[in-house]
Amino acid sequence: MVMICGQTCYGGLKSTHRTGLTDSVQCERLAVAVFTCTGWLCDDIPEPNDSPRYMYFPEYLHHRCNRIRRRAWNELDPPNTFAMGQGYPGNTVQREWSMDDLELDKKASQTVRNIIDACDLDWTEVTVSELDNLDPRLVCLKCSYGNHCDGERPMMVRSWRESVKHCTKKHWSDSTVKWQKISDEESRSLRQDQEEAAASTTTPPRKIWRCTHCHDKPGEPEKMTVQGMMDHLEDQ
Ligand SMILES: [Zn+2]
Ligand SMILES: [Zn+2]
Ligand SMILES: [Zn+2]
């Protein structure tokens, strides 16, 4: 699968972002490569997650719609076509891997670029994993009316991924929104607070587990909760 990705997934990116990119960087890994899905399944049954449903490397490569299609009602059982299993609507069958249903979200991409600018980094080089490792905490300067975080006023501080969503939901992905990266010291203490808060709350189980035994086989089920996965494995 990785081989196929390497050949095809540049499609949208090349045309938009090629200029200025160094050859050593694989553009599909860049943080500015933000995709949304326009596939029928994601329209009908969105994955259980926040909207807007942005996907970054490597998630978009593994997105379910890259491997499925809806079988036409009058289509005969073609040979070598596997139907998808539990969790998928009937008539969902596997297809050759393709990112055709995914769309590079130029507005979200621009927001990531603005965030990377605020971190004093080069958007043509910063990968998703680098930005995740840096884990910058950001203040939306549009919401703060241009006021910078000074430790006095209470301000909303977000991770980079949450900031992208915020910009879309609150500011219609306004490309002029600017960001402030708060100091590393403040970020550290915020992260600690968040981790403590997360540890003391229980989140409902999410369907995020895929069965590798069933991958690319007939009746491959949709993602499951941990419990769903255990039941599934028992049934095998
Ligand atoms: Zn999709
Ligand atoms: Zn804002
Ligand atoms: Zn399985």
Side-chain angles (χ1 to χ4, degrees):
M1 180 163 154
V2 174
M3 262 174 52
I4 307 172
C5 307
Q7 286 164 7
T8 56
C9 77
Y10 293 100
L13 269 176
K14 258 185 183 158
S15 54
T16 330
H17 288 304
R18 190 147 194 204
T19 40
L21 287 179
T22 52
D23 286 342
S24 59
V25 180
Q26 288 178 285
C27 23
E28 79 261 18
R29 291 172 188 271
L30 292 181
V32 290
V34 194
F35 288 89
T36 49
C37 181
T38 59
W40 58 273
L41 183 57
C42 283
D43 266 348
D44 291 357
I45 314 169
E47 293 200 293
N49 211 328
D50 291 357
S51 73
R53 177 95 185 86
Y54 292 138
M55 291 182 280
Y56 302 89
F57 180 87
E59 184 189 358
Y60 63 79
L61 297 181
H62 302 291
H63 181 59
R64 57 184 183 175
C65 298
N66 295 343
R67 297 192 299 120
I68 58 164
R69 65 181 180 85
R70 187 151 44 180
R71 195 167 73 178
W73 64 273
N74 57 353
E75 193 179 325
L76 296 172
D77 244 342
N80 306 321
T81 298
F82 294 156
M84 302 302 280
Q86 195 206 332
Y88 285 98
N91 297 335
T92 310
V93 293
Q94 295 185 6
R95 65 162 164 129
E96 203 176 306
W97 188 93
S98 152
M99 266 178 57
D100 287 353
D101 285 343
L102 303 190
E103 206 166 69
L104 183 76
D105 193 305
K106 289 182 186 153
K107 288 183 166 179
S109 176
Q110 180 62 50
T111 304
V112 176
R113 198 170 154 176
N114 294 345
I115 287 170
I116 293 173
D117 283 348
C119 299
D120 266 336
L121 295 168
D122 182 352
W123 68 270
T124 64
E125 285 178 3
V126 178
T127 62
V128 172
S129 59
E130 282 165 354
L131 205 50
D132 279 340
N133 287 338
L134 181 70
D135 195 14
R137 296 299 148 127
L138 303 139
V139 172
C140 171
L141 293 178
K142 181 145 185 163
C143 285
S144 73
Y145 302 102
N147 292 310
H148 284 239
C149 185
D150 53 9
E152 301 288 319
R153 275 174 279 245
M155 279 186 189
M156 189 62 111
V157 177
R158 299 180 181 84
S159 69
W160 71 272
R161 290 173 193 245
E162 286 304 317
S163 296
V164 179
K165 285 184 187 171
H166 165 79
C167 191
T168 305
K169 286 195 274 197
K170 281 271 145 66
H171 311 304
W172 306 98
S173 300
D174 180 351
S175 64
T176 64
V177 174
K178 295 216 169 7
W179 307 87
Q180 182 203 359
K181 175 180 172 283
I182 64 168
S183 74
D184 293 343
E185 197 183 324
E186 281 172 311
S187 296
R188 253 193 303 277
S189 84
L190 268 171
R191 250 177 251 134
Q192 212 165 14
D193 291 349
Q194 276 179 341
E195 277 160 25
E196 279 164 22
S200 64
T201 51
T202 45
T203 46
R206 296 200 302 149
K207 293 182 179 177
I208 52 171
W209 298 95
R210 240 181 226 303
C211 179
T212 48
H213 296 295
C214 296
H215 190 77
D216 279 346
K217 296 200 182 103
E220 177 186 335
E222 174 59 305
K223 282 181 277 191
M224 293 166 258
T225 61
V226 175
Q227 185 58 48
M229 180 59 80
M230 290 200 293
D231 295 345
H232 168 72
L233 291 174
E234 250 169 43
D235 292 343
Q236 299 300 298

